[in-house]
């Protein structure tokens, strides 16, 4: 009983040890968001693990600012006014894993800027004014997983030799086409080179990137599809959007890309797409060809039927329209029928009639009435006026042996299957949603989606998996919870000896999240639950398996980099001894929160992917608002610390999925 008064005084002692203008959570997480000072706060406790100093107005750092913070794991100095980084300023931070210096005014990175940061895994320098980077600036960062340098003024990219790097973003700089010796990154998974003004790529650029899964070449000046892509055999996502000089696609340009799942060809100068090109990608899931000046004539007549019959999602349907001829100008490409493309027709002499239960089938202007093509061109020109012409296809215009009975290509529409009965008559087996002699009539459905399908769809699901990563779709989980502040994402490996759960804190603004650094050919159990609530309440789980494919190099695994949970900020880290005191504290906090947020539709505070920038009670932590005034391209910076630069597919431009 003598310990009871001391335990009640514990929170008071923690508050008194906080620096002026800061808020401390359990003594290890410090948010300095209310202060406005040009220098670092004084008297930061030595036990601090996560220190958030974004939007403080800091203009300079001193060499002794971090001398007592050897245990610091995460440091957020983003959106300040820092213009210079003294040499060895971060050297005392031997345990630092995450460093965010984005949206400052830094102009140069010297040789000793990051000296001593041997444990660093994420370094964010985007949105500064960096012009020069010393060739040895990143030496010693062997554990680095992510390096973001986008939206700077870099003209020369130093040679990068980082064995563990998974993500590199150099978009929107003044860097010329990188050379192979600049990117000696054996395990790199994601490379972003958007907005560099590239007109070509070195054919050998990808020779050292055997583990590359995600490549963004959007918003450049490429004149053709780069030949370097032929070396990217493991590529899953390819973004070529916004290269207006690319006017033609060739099948040979996309050789060896059979693993491709997402392809963005928007805003090019395409008038058509070669028939058979998309068959090169048997695993394709999402395709975007919006904002192209399509010439909707006969050579493109195959595309709408392919879109409707395949399982591939066509993104930005309303923005995928015809440009020519005037009859089709402005029409949505997917909604056109074969007859709308004005294909020339050929006629046939009736030799065998199609088997049907009706004595006089209705005339369908786009369908043939015979099972055999015209034996010779001369007979075709003398066809009776009452016969119905078939579609003009390369297969039907050829001259086959008239004695051979076969199913004419494309005679069965809407995914129907052609077959011959015992007399050689053509019959079409139609899918459930179609009917008619040639499956020409479709049932009246609304985009093929019914309400029961939406209600039974799982709250979370995995959409894409590689040998080292799994993408988790959280759209439905977030949409069903408008008051959600954040998501606790828990995952564990069911296939390995170590099944301990690993946790990450994901902002409610993230509809997608990619778990990286996983083991190949393993099954992972993934659960999502509201941040700050017991994990057993409102929790949804799914299972996903990484692929067994390993391309040239061993993937980065959890054992190579330690547990990823060392980067996760524990929101509750104090051992509670007295149950009564804890219950009273929780009740008090919830009452205060309810009073501070009466509007159920209030915007949630931003959270960090590693549990950073958690909302303080009563809204004391302001949102980290992006500072667009410093952006040379007028682009929005990442708001939370571990956020991605933007979606590779611009179908949902407002959503910014995470890289890892």
């Amino acid at each position: 009983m003598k310990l009871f008064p001391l335990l009640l005084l514990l929170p008071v002692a923690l508050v008194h040890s906080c620096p002026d203008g800061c808020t401390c959570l359990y003594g290890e997480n410090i948010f300095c968001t209310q202060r406005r000072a040009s220098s670092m706060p004084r008297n930061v406790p030595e036990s601090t693990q996560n220190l958030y100093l974004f939007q403080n107005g800091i203009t300079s750092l001193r060499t002794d600012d971090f001398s007592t913070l050897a245990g610091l794991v995460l440091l957020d100095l983003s959106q300040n006014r820092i213009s210079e980084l003294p040499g060895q300023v971060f050297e005392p931070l031997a345990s630092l894993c995450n460093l965010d210096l984005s949206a400052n005014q830094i102009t140069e990175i010297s040789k000793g800027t990051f000296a001593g940061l041997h444990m660093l895994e994420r370094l964010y320098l985007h949105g500064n004014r960096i012009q020069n980077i010393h060739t040895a600036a990143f030496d010693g960062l062997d554990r680095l997983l992510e390096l973001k340098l986008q939206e700077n003024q870099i003209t020369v990219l130093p040679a990068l030799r980082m064995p563990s790097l998974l993500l590199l973003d150099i978009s929107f700089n003044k860097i010329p086409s990188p050379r192979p010796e600049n990117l000696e990154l054996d395990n790199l998974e994601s490379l972003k080179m958007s907005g560099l003004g590239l007109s070509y790529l070195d054919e050998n650029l990808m020779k050292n990137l055997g583990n590359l899964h995600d490549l963004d070449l959007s918003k450049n000046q490429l004149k053709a599809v780069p030949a370097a892509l032929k070396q990217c055999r493991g590529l899953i996502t390819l973004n070529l959007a916004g290269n207006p000089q690319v006017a033609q696609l060739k099948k040979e340009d996309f050789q060896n890309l059979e693993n491709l799942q997402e392809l963005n060809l928007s805003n090019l100068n395409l008038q058509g797409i070669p028939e058979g090109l998309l068959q090169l990608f048997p695993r394709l899931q999402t395709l975007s060809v919006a904002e192209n000046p399509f010439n909707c004539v006969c050579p493109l007549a195959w595309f709408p039927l392919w879109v409707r019959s395949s399982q591939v999602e066509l993104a930005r349907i309303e923005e995928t329209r015809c440009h020519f001829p005037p009859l089709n100008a402005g029409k949505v490409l997917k909604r056109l029928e074969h007859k709308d493309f004005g294909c020339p027709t050929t006629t046939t002499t009736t030799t065998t009639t199609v088997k049907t239960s009706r004595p006089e089938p209705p005339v369908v202007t786009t369908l043939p009435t015979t099972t055999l093509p015209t034996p010779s061109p001369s007979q075709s020109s003398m066809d009776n006026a009452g016969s119905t012409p078939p579609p003009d296809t390369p297969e039907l215009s050829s001259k086959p042996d008239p004695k051979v009975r076969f199913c004419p290509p494309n005679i069965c529409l809407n995914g129907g299957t052609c077959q011959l009965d015992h007399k050689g008559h053509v019959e079409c087996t139609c899918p459930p949603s179609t009917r008619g002699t040639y499956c020409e009539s479709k049932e009246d459905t609304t985009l093929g989606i019914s309400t029961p399908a939406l209600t039974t769809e799982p709250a979370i699901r995995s959409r894409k998996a590689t040998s080292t990563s799994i993408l988790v779709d959280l759209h439905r989980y977030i949409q069903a919870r408008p008051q959600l502040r954040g998501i606790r994402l828990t995952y564990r490996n069911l296939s390995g000896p170590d099944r301990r759960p690993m946790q990450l804190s994901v902002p409610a603004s993230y509809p997608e999240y990619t778990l990286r650094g996983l083991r190949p050919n393993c099954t992972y159990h993934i659960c999502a639950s509201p941040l700050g609530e017991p994990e057993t309440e409102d929790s949804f789980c799914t299972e996903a398996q990484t692929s067994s494919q390993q391309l040239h190099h061993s993937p980065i695994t959890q054992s190579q980099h330690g547990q990823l949970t060392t980067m996760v900020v524990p929101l509750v880290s104090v051992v509670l001894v007295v149950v009564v005191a804890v219950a009273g504290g929780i009740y008090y906090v919830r009452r205060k929160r309810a009073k501070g947020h009466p509007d159920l539709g209030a915007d949630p505070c931003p959270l960090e992917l590693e549990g950073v920038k958690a909302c303080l009670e009563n809204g004391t932590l302001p949102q980290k608002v992006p500072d667009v005034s410093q952006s040379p391209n007028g682009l929005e910076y990442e708001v939370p610390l571990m956020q991605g630069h933007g979606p590779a597919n611009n179908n949902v431009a407002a959503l910014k999925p995470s890289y890892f």
Side-chain angles (χ1 to χ4, degrees):
M1 295 299 296
K2 294 182 179 181
L3 290 176
F4 186 75
L6 297 177
L7 291 173
L8 294 179
L9 293 175
L10 180 60
V12 178
L14 293 177
V15 172
H16 288 170
S17 64
C18 263
D20 293 339
C22 300
T23 302
C24 298
L25 296 180
Y26 309 113
E28 297 179 353
N29 309 316
I30 298 182
F31 294 86
C32 300
T33 59
Q34 303 299 321
R35 62 190 301 273
R36 291 293 180 266
S38 60
S39 60
M40 287 279 297
R42 300 288 98 188
N43 303 320
V44 177
E46 296 182 6
S47 61
T48 304
Q49 293 188 5
N50 306 285
L51 180 59
Y52 305 97
L53 296 164
F54 57 89
Q55 293 182 338
N56 274 224
I58 298 175
T59 59
S60 61
L61 300 176
R62 300 187 304 183
T63 55
D64 61 342
D65 281 339
F66 308 104
S67 58
T68 61
L69 301 177
L72 200 64
V73 175
L74 185 148
L75 175 61
D76 185 355
L77 289 166
S78 62
Q79 298 191 31
N80 283 288
R81 300 176 184 177
I82 302 172
S83 59
E84 184 179 356
L85 297 174
Q88 287 80 36
V89 64
F90 302 114
E91 191 169 16
L93 305 178
S95 301
L96 195 67
C97 292
N98 303 282
L99 176 59
D100 189 351
L101 293 165
S102 63
N104 278 280
Q105 301 173 13
I106 302 169
T107 59
E108 184 178 4
I109 303 298
S110 64
K111 179 179 180 180
T113 299
F114 305 117
L117 300 181
H118 302 295
M119 300 296 293
L120 195 64
E121 295 184 339
R122 289 174 178 83
L123 175 59
Y124 293 171
L125 295 167
H126 55 277
N128 279 278
R129 303 174 184 177
I130 300 174
Q131 299 178 4
N132 301 313
I133 300 178
H134 194 276
T135 56
F138 303 122
D139 288 357
L141 304 183
D142 294 337
R143 290 178 175 265
L144 201 65
L145 299 176
E146 297 186 4
L147 176 59
K148 294 187 180 182
L149 297 169
Q150 69 267 28
E151 297 181 39
N152 280 287
Q153 302 172 23
I154 304 171
T155 56
V156 178
L157 183 68
L160 301 177
R161 299 178 178 88
M162 302 176 185
S164 303
L165 198 67
L166 299 178
L167 165 68
L168 174 63
D169 195 338
I170 57 175
S171 302
F172 299 102
N173 278 284
K174 301 178 181 180
I175 304 172
S177 181
R179 299 186 300 272
E181 55 268 25
N182 293 127
L183 303 177
E184 296 185 11
L185 307 168
D186 293 346
N187 287 288
L188 192 70
E189 291 186 353
S190 181
L191 176 60
K192 309 293 183 181
M193 295 194 295
S194 178
L196 295 181
L198 302 176
S199 59
Y200 72 97
L201 283 185
D202 191 303
E203 291 190 11
N204 296 317
L205 180 64
M206 307 297 177
K207 71 177 183 179
N208 298 321
L209 306 180
N211 199 43
L212 193 66
H213 300 325
D214 179 14
L215 178 61
D216 186 356
L217 295 172
S218 62
K219 299 180 181 178
N220 281 291
Q221 299 298 321
L222 296 174
K223 300 178 181 179
V225 178
L229 296 183
K230 297 178 182 179
Q231 301 178 3
C232 302
R233 294 179 178 271
L235 208 60
I236 293 177
T237 302
L238 175 61
N239 189 355
L240 294 171
N243 285 277
Q245 299 187 50
V246 178
Q248 188 178 8
L249 302 178
K250 301 177 182 179
K251 293 182 180 180
E252 53 267 27
D253 293 337
F254 298 93
Q255 291 179 0
N256 305 326
L257 298 184
E258 59 272 7
N259 292 314
L260 207 63
Q261 296 181 19
E262 297 182 17
L263 176 61
N264 194 339
L265 300 173
S266 299
N267 198 17
L268 304 181
N269 194 25
L270 301 179
Q271 296 184 15
I273 301 175
E275 186 172 2
L277 174 67
L278 301 178
Q279 277 71 26
L280 298 176
F281 317 122
R283 302 181 181 180
L284 192 65
Q285 297 179 4
T286 304
L287 172 67
S288 180
V289 290
E291 298 184 79
N292 278 291
F294 284 120
N295 190 359
C296 295
V297 292
C298 196
L300 195 59
W302 66 273
F303 184 72
L305 179 60
W306 178 87
V307 171
R308 291 192 292 264
S309 61
S310 71
Q311 301 297 322
V312 177
E313 175 189 357
L314 182 64
R316 302 174 65 188
I317 295 176
E318 295 295 330
E319 300 172 70
T320 308
R321 297 176 179 264
C322 299
H323 179 72
F324 185 86
L327 182 63
N328 290 331
K331 294 182 179 179
V332 176
L333 181 56
K334 179 183 177 181
R335 298 172 187 161
L336 295 182
E337 300 293 339
H338 188 277
K339 58 184 176 60
D340 298 325
F341 289 85
C343 296
T345 58
T346 60
T347 58
T348 61
T349 300
T350 303
T351 59
T352 306
T353 59
V354 177
K355 183 179 180 180
T356 177
S357 59
R358 292 171 293 182
E360 295 181 2
V363 177
V364 182
T365 58
T366 59
L367 299 176
T369 60
T370 65
T371 58
L372 294 178
T374 304
S376 64
S378 60
Q379 293 177 355
S380 174
S381 62
M382 301 175 62
D383 188 27
N384 297 328
S387 62
T388 305
D392 183 20
T393 61
E395 294 82 1
L396 289 179
S397 61
S398 60
K399 185 179 179 181
D401 186 353
K403 298 181 181 180
V404 178
R405 295 181 177 181
F406 66 101
C407 273
N410 303 327
I411 190 172
C412 299
L413 303 180
N414 296 316
T417 303
C418 177
Q419 59 185 3
L420 300 177
D421 64 4
H422 64 283
K423 294 183 179 181
H425 296 167
V426 171
E427 290 183 330
C428 289
T429 303
C430 302
S433 59
T434 62
R435 56 186 174 84
T437 306
Y438 307 102
C439 309
E440 69 273 11
S441 301
K442 298 188 69 174
E443 300 290 345
D444 187 14
T445 59
T446 306
L447 298 180
I449 300 177
S450 60
T451 302
L454 291 176
T455 57
T456 58
E457 185 177 344
I460 67 170
R461 60 192 178 98
S462 61
R463 283 183 34 226
K464 183 173 62 177
T466 69
S467 59
T468 58
S469 65
I470 295 175
L471 187 145
V472 183
D473 189 337
L474 301 169
H475 284 84
R476 291 184 55 80
Y477 190 83
I478 294 174
Q479 291 174 359
R481 297 158 182 82
Q483 293 181 278
L484 191 66
R485 293 268 186 116
I487 302 172
R488 180 197 296 111
L489 205 59
T490 306
Y491 66 99
R492 56 193 178 96
N493 187 356
L494 300 179
S495 304
D498 186 0
R499 298 192 178 188
R500 289 176 297 178
M502 310 178 77
Q503 289 187 354
L504 298 171
S505 299
V506 183
S509 58
Y510 276 42
E512 296 175 349
Y513 183 88
T514 302
L515 300 172
R516 293 195 183 275
L518 307 181
R519 292 181 178 273
N521 197 25
C522 289
T523 300
Y524 283 83
H525 185 73
I526 307 168
C527 295
S529 58
L531 194 64
E533 300 292 337
E535 194 168 352
T536 56
E537 295 185 8
D538 198 16
S539 178
F540 287 86
C541 301
T542 186
E543 290 188 1
Q545 185 173 9
T546 55
S547 64
S548 58
Q549 182 180 10
Q550 301 186 41
L551 301 172
H552 304 287
H553 303 284
S554 300
I556 303 301
T557 62
Q558 298 170 7
S559 60
Q560 289 173 305
H561 295 284
Q563 298 295 332
L564 290 180
T565 51
T566 57
M567 298 172 289
V568 180
V569 178
L571 297 179
V572 179
S573 61
V574 175
V575 178
L576 303 179
V577 180
V578 182
V579 177
V580 177
V582 173
I586 294 176
Y587 176 79
Y588 174 78
V589 170
R590 291 185 176 178
R591 293 288 297 175
K592 293 290 288 182
R593 179 184 300 175
K595 293 179 180 179
H597 301 277
D599 185 6
L600 295 180
D603 294 333
C605 299
L607 301 174
E608 293 304 330
L609 290 188
E610 302 299 334
V612 298
K613 298 176 190 156
C615 296
L616 300 182
E617 303 303 336
N618 286 328
T620 56
L621 174 60
Q623 292 192 4
K624 182 178 176 182
V625 182
D627 182 6
V628 297
S629 62
Q630 300 181 17
S631 173
N633 301 288
L635 298 178
E636 186 175 306
Y637 293 123
E638 289 94 339
V639 177
L641 174 63
M642 302 301 168
Q643 182 169 330
H645 178 59
N649 192 320
N650 52 11
N651 184 32
V652 189
L655 303 179
K656 298 183 178 181
S658 164
Y659 284 141
F660 67 99

